Amino acid sequence: MALLYKNTEYGFDFTLPATWKDYSIVTDEWEGLAVSQAQTEEVIENGPMNSIRHPQWTSENPRQDIPIMIFTIEQWDSLQQEKFHIGAAPIGPKELNRNEKYVFAIPARYDFAFLTGYEEVEQILEGKPLEISEE
């Protein structure tokens, strides 16, 4: 039986496998850095990032989170026009879905550390688990 994480603040639902029962949400922030000749790493955009954390995650044995970056439509459009960048990856975040106000995306190299469970997270994401909630 699947679980459903409902985010009423931003208007989306995320389907998780039953093995994620008792998951937690870790709130953080993404930062968009200036694109300039001087390569100054000035933060010119930012926004929320909610990570879904597996219930077996511990500081001694971290597991792969599912990080969901939340952009306004305007921020997403600016990112696509390369007005700012996020992190060192040569590619940007991947869009998962969008509603009238927000674009929901996964960071380009979210699984780069190959933490325990990264394959499971990839499988979850292949199932297109993020759906827009009906208000």
Side-chain angles (χ1 to χ4, degrees):
M1 168 129 176
L3 300 169
L4 195 63
Y5 161 52
K6 294 182 85 52
N7 184 301
T8 54
E9 183 175 1
Y10 297 105
F12 70 89
D13 297 337
F14 197 99
T15 303
L16 294 162
T19 55
W20 285 60
K21 183 179 184 297
D22 299 325
Y23 66 87
S24 58
I25 301 299
V26 178
T27 56
D28 200 359
E29 192 173 85
W30 60 262
E31 293 183 337
L33 305 173
V35 177
S36 69
Q37 300 292 347
Q39 292 300 317
T40 60
E41 295 295 299
E42 180 186 358
V43 175
I44 60 169
E45 290 284 352
N46 67 329
M49 183 164 65
N50 290 353
S51 294
I52 305 171
R53 179 157 286 173
H54 194 283
Q56 293 175 357
W57 187 100
T58 65
S59 55
E60 296 80 27
N61 293 300
R63 294 181 63 95
Q64 181 62 57
D65 289 342
I66 304 173
I68 302 168
M69 304 171 84
I70 301 161
F71 297 85
T72 64
I73 300 292
E74 296 77 24
Q75 286 172 326
W76 185 256
D77 290 346
S78 291
L79 179 63
Q80 301 313 303
Q81 295 164 22
E82 298 181 359
K83 293 183 178 174
F84 66 93
H85 69 96
I86 296 174
I91 54 174
K94 180 181 175 204
E95 182 174 340
L96 297 172
N97 209 333
R98 66 172 61 202
N99 61 22
E100 292 176 2
K101 293 182 182 175
Y102 302 107
V103 174
F104 308 104
I106 190 105
R109 292 186 175 171
Y110 76 92
D111 60 353
F112 202 62
F114 301 108
L115 293 173
T116 301
Y118 81 93
E119 303 100 326
E120 181 186 22
V121 169
E122 287 175 358
Q123 285 182 328
I124 291 169
L125 292 171
E126 284 172 14
K128 302 195 182 321
L130 193 147
E131 296 190 10
I132 303 310
S133 345
E134 300 301 322
E135 306 267 339

